[in-house]
Amino acid sequence: MADRESWNEDRARGVIAAVAVKEGAALPILHALQHVFGCVPLQAEPLVASALNITRAEVHGIVTFYHEFRRSPPGRHVLRLCRAEACQAVGADAVGAHLRSALAIDWHETSRDGAMTLEPVFCLGLCATGPSALLDGDPIGRLDAARVDRMLESLT
Amino acid sequence: MTRVFVPRDAAALAMGAEAVAKALAEHADVVRTGSRGLFWLEPMIEVETPEGRIAYGPVEAADVPGLLADGLLTGTARRLRLGVPEQIPFLARQTRLTFARCGIVDPLSLGDYRAHGGFEGLEKARAMGPAAIVETVLASGLRGRGGAGFPTGIKWKTVAEAKGDRKYIVCNADEGDSGTYADRMMMEGDPFSLVEGMIIAGLAVGATKGYVYTRSEYPHAIDTFDKALDIARRAGLLGGDFDIEQRSGAGAYVCGEETSLLESLEGKRGQVRAKPPLPAHKGLFGQPTVINNLVTLTSLPCILRDGAEHYQALGMGRSRGTMPIQLAGNLKYAGLFEAGFGVTLGELVNDIGGGTRSGRPIRAVQVGGPLGAYFPPALFDTPFDYEAFAARDGLIGHGGVVVFDDTVDMAHQARFAMEFCAAESCGKCTPCRIGSVRGLETVDKILAERDVDANLELLRDLCHTMKFGSLCALGGFIPYPVLSAMNFFPEDFRQATRLAAA
């Protein structure tokens, strides 16, 4: 996973300013912030509000509407496991249960050693080779308990 | 060096294509392509020989040394040899128009694109002028491939006639339906088709700016399409009187609904707008806007190139042309099957899809994503056609077909539909926002054997309210999977019969 920077207000202002000139810039700004900091922390909201000349409440409403934006940084790795129907049909529920038990966490949580954040996702467009996941952005197909175990062992 | 084509489609990568490409790198001139869409054969590689391309698959990196020793580069190695790709039955039965280039060309080569018929439609469009383009699209019978099936030509005519300071073309690439991957494949495998389709749309209605709204769950598609936009801009195809910008969604399913997508593009919460006004009159930033699905837009280049009659001649009833049907879930041969409308569901899942991957009997098929009905084998004679599916309380949606074997618990699937709707509702209208939560609670009561008859009746009544009272298709169609599960698989909603079956 790419190195994430810890929160820095000046850095955030720069990130926001670089994207704020676009039409309808809110989502591009939030994506840019999450790309740099791994999340969109609460402290970012007033900065975004001021750049877009909208209220902080509106910014909060936008950030919380979209599932993708995290409020705190994830673990060193992020696994996004598909929970949608095409993957359900080939055993995704069992893979999800196995992962949660192996990592001793629930959806949206990070393992205690900080290695892995588990996020549910509803479809990755990999519906013919499921159960599917993205590990730090790399697609994985045909997941089962054994493949999950091998994957977890190989992570640092 | 011999050219070997290795896909870099995300599904091929999920099956190990990157390692295969690396293993071949020192021995061949590796060209990365999209996928042909035969996913059970991925990674499927193709070797260029004097007799044409020869396919091998599924190839793992560990297979490469042995294959090379046995004559892979001359197409003579026997193991994993699939022969001429176009003769593989799954491909031979298709009519590839929209996806004709996907899996064949280097997606980021304008030279490849032109050599395979690219920009011929655009040239004809430029020569005929805006009014004639709209007439051609009307005559082709093309309907919106996102699911609503609205005639594309009528939408365009409305925008062409609308007055505005500027007009927009918006491509809906927020392909959130489970079981669908056509948009993703196209963006990764033949992105210039979308560029060409959007330029044609811009010409037809007088738009100056195009937006592509791509879901963030598709990082590879986003990356490839951004590169394609750069290449097109540097070649002078974009940036003058028409430019395209890609925007990424942020994990909200409802943003696949057109008005919610426009709100999201404007930088707001993706909440559905009441219609009217139609986006054609007041769309993005209040300006006249064509908003079309990606497959609709990428169908245009070949319609303009080959003429409306050629496209219109395919299909059945009011569903004209071809549909890239996406076979998914528990299927032996899952992949992209583009064919004229009219092929039956049974042909799709049994003959073409080969039945389940698990080898067990098919119990239910969900067509059209999470808002689509679950059809039992008794309805397998339904032809793939907008009206035929609607007549049986189903929908074809964006063409996703998800197969389940006999281990599926349909009460669980009904519960999931309500859970999904509760999680993804934009919150604007009450039937969807509250109804989905109450629906989830009611299914849970049924599963816990509490007042089963009364709660089944209540669930049916709630579905009726959601169907007719919701503002958009999310709340309006989520009753389809729920009611079809109740109607076709009633035994799954009764604990006694659930236990007996287990």
Side-chain angles (χ1 to χ4, degrees):
Chain A
M1 202 77 191
D3 286 339
R4 290 183 205 98
E5 300 176 26
S6 42
W7 175 252
N8 175 308
E9 193 171 310
D10 286 337
R11 174 83 168 109
R13 282 185 204 280
V15 169
I16 294 167
V19 198
V21 290
K22 289 176 180 254
E23 278 185 316
L27 261 68
I29 288 176
L30 299 178
H31 278 301
L33 287 170
Q34 180 146 309
H35 181 72
V36 172
F37 301 111
C39 64
V40 182
L42 272 175
Q43 303 98 291
E45 288 181 359
L47 308 184
V48 177
S50 136
L52 296 177
N53 198 25
I54 57 178
T55 67
R56 182 175 175 181
E58 282 174 286
V59 176
H60 187 74
I62 297 164
V63 179
T64 53
F65 182 87
Y66 296 95
H67 301 302
E68 178 122 341
F69 300 123
R70 296 182 202 101
R71 308 320 307 266
S72 54
R76 294 191 292 281
H77 302 280
V78 176
L79 185 76
R80 309 186 73 192
L81 182 74
C82 179
R83 294 187 62 204
E85 292 91 335
C87 286
Q88 288 169 15
V90 286
D93 288 349
V95 172
H98 182 76
L99 262 165
R100 283 178 294 155
S101 129
L103 294 166
I105 53 173
D106 207 343
W107 301 111
H108 302 287
E109 292 180 357
T110 301
S111 58
R112 284 187 65 180
D113 60 0
M116 176 79 91
T117 298
L118 179 62
E119 294 183 342
V121 59
F122 291 97
C123 197
L124 296 165
L126 307 171
C127 315
T129 50
S132 303
L134 286 181
L135 176 61
D136 299 334
D138 291 331
I140 314 175
R142 302 258 192 262
L143 271 173
D144 56 23
R147 256 196 110 171
V148 164
D149 291 340
R150 284 202 300 277
M151 176 185 74
L152 293 180
E153 274 167 31
S154 68
L155 293 180
T156 49
Chain B
M1 276 207 285
T2 309
R3 292 209 296 174
V4 179
F5 302 87
V6 181
R8 59 168 196 185
D9 175 280
L13 297 179
M15 301 309 288
E18 201 57 44
V20 174
K22 280 204 182 93
L24 283 163
E26 285 177 17
H27 309 278
D29 177 9
V30 175
V31 179
R32 303 306 292 270
T33 63
S35 171
R36 297 258 194 178
L38 284 61
F39 290 113
W40 73 98
L41 295 174
E42 291 290 1
M44 181 172 112
I45 67 172
E46 296 176 22
V47 183
E48 192 168 58
T49 75
E51 291 78 42
R53 292 189 189 183
I54 299 294
Y56 287 83
V59 177
E60 289 180 30
D63 297 321
V64 171
L67 285 174
L68 285 168
D70 292 344
L72 173 74
L73 298 181
T74 50
T76 50
R78 304 305 308 169
R79 211 170 70 81
L80 302 177
R81 192 177 191 276
L82 302 165
V84 177
E86 286 79 5
Q87 291 171 6
I88 298 171
F90 189 89
L91 264 182
R93 293 178 71 168
Q94 302 193 35
T95 307
R96 287 247 169 144
L97 297 180
T98 308
F99 278 81
R101 279 177 292 264
C102 195
I104 298 174
V105 297
D106 172 349
L108 295 177
S109 161
L110 277 174
D112 266 16
Y113 187 69
R114 286 208 171 87
H116 288 81
F119 295 124
E120 288 174 20
L122 177 60
E123 279 162 32
K124 289 201 177 164
R126 284 197 202 283
M128 69 171 69
I133 302 173
V134 174
E135 282 309 313
T136 302
V137 175
L138 268 174
S140 74
L142 178 66
R143 295 166 69 182
R145 296 291 188 247
F150 188 81
T152 306
I154 294 179
K155 193 182 267 187
W156 286 20
K157 205 168 184 315
T158 311
V159 177
E161 288 166 357
K163 298 267 177 286
D165 301 337
R166 61 192 302 196
K167 295 178 184 177
Y168 292 100
I169 306 296
V170 174
C171 168
N172 184 343
D174 195 36
E175 185 178 51
D177 289 353
S178 176
T180 64
Y181 44 78
D183 297 1
R184 183 187 63 67
M185 274 181 69
M186 183 64 85
M187 295 181 92
E188 293 173 9
D190 190 18
F192 293 123
S193 275
L194 179 54
V195 173
E196 183 179 357
M198 289 181 72
I199 297 175
I200 292 170
L203 273 176
V205 303
T208 50
K209 176 91 193 245
Y211 279 102
V212 176
Y213 186 94
T214 310
R215 60 200 303 264
S216 57
E217 293 85 348
Y218 285 2
H220 300 79
I222 290 170
D223 181 59
T224 304
F225 192 66
D226 267 340
K227 287 183 175 135
L229 286 179
D230 269 351
I231 292 166
R233 216 168 279 129
R234 274 188 269 125
L237 292 156
L238 294 173
D241 43 10
F242 186 76
D243 204 356
I244 300 175
E245 184 179 336
Q246 179 172 228
R247 288 288 173 90
S248 163
Y253 174 77
V254 75
C255 289
E257 197 280 336
E258 60 178 12
T259 61
S260 163
L261 188 154
L262 295 175
E263 291 284 300
S264 185
L265 267 181
E266 291 183 8
K268 303 173 187 162
R269 290 161 67 88
Q271 286 196 303
V272 173
R273 295 178 186 169
K275 288 188 276 193
L278 295 171
H281 292 127
K282 282 188 188 309
L284 188 61
F285 300 109
Q287 301 300 324
T289 301
V290 166
I291 175 161
N292 279 144
N293 181 262
L294 183 142
V295 174
T296 312
L297 289 164
T298 53
S299 299
L300 295 162
C302 56
I303 291 173
L304 271 295
R305 185 190 65 203
D306 303 333
E309 298 73 27
H310 181 256
Y311 196 77
Q312 212 276 340
L314 296 158
M316 72 169 277
R318 289 172 50 217
S319 306
R320 310 312 310 174
T322 62
M323 181 76 188
I325 298 165
Q326 300 129 78
L327 303 176
N330 195 339
L331 263 190
K332 198 168 173 192
Y333 308 127
L336 183 102
F337 192 86
E338 182 177 354
F341 286 93
V343 55
T344 68
L345 186 55
E347 285 174 85
L348 284 169
V349 298
N350 287 322
D351 306 345
I352 297 160
T356 64
R357 207 167 105 78
S358 60
R360 303 181 67 97
I362 295 177
R363 181 147 188 251
V365 181
Q366 187 179 32
V367 181
L371 311 179
Y374 286 98
F375 275 16
L379 298 185
F380 279 6
D381 61 339
T382 314
F384 214 86
D385 162 67
Y386 293 99
E387 280 68 40
F389 266 78
R392 290 180 162 180
D393 286 328
L395 49 105
I396 63 170
H398 184 51
V401 174
V402 176
V403 174
F404 293 81
D405 72 12
D406 62 350
T407 59
V408 68
D409 175 346
M410 295 307 297
H412 176 85
Q413 298 308 119
R415 184 189 187 280
F416 175 77
M418 285 296 187
E419 183 190 13
F420 181 74
C421 187
E424 299 298 332
S425 175
C426 82
K428 179 125 173 179
C429 74
T430 313
C432 175
R433 182 183 69 246
I434 307 288
S436 53
V437 176
R438 295 288 175 260
L440 177 59
E441 290 165 1
T442 309
V443 179
D444 277 339
K445 283 178 195 164
I446 293 165
L447 289 174
E449 278 192 286
R450 282 171 53 192
D451 300 325
V452 173
D453 289 323
N455 277 314
L456 281 170
E457 198 184 316
L458 193 62
L459 186 58
R460 200 172 281 279
D461 185 61
L462 177 64
C463 283
H464 186 267
T465 301
M466 290 178 74
K467 189 170 171 182
F468 295 101
S470 297
L471 199 52
C472 83
L474 177 50
F477 289 174
I478 209 76
Y480 282 123
V482 178
L483 289 171
S484 59
M486 291 166 68
N487 292 337
F488 299 125
F489 309 94
E491 62 277 18
D492 285 18
F493 291 80
R494 306 250 170 208
Q495 197 68 11
T497 43
R498 286 165 62 85
L499 292 176

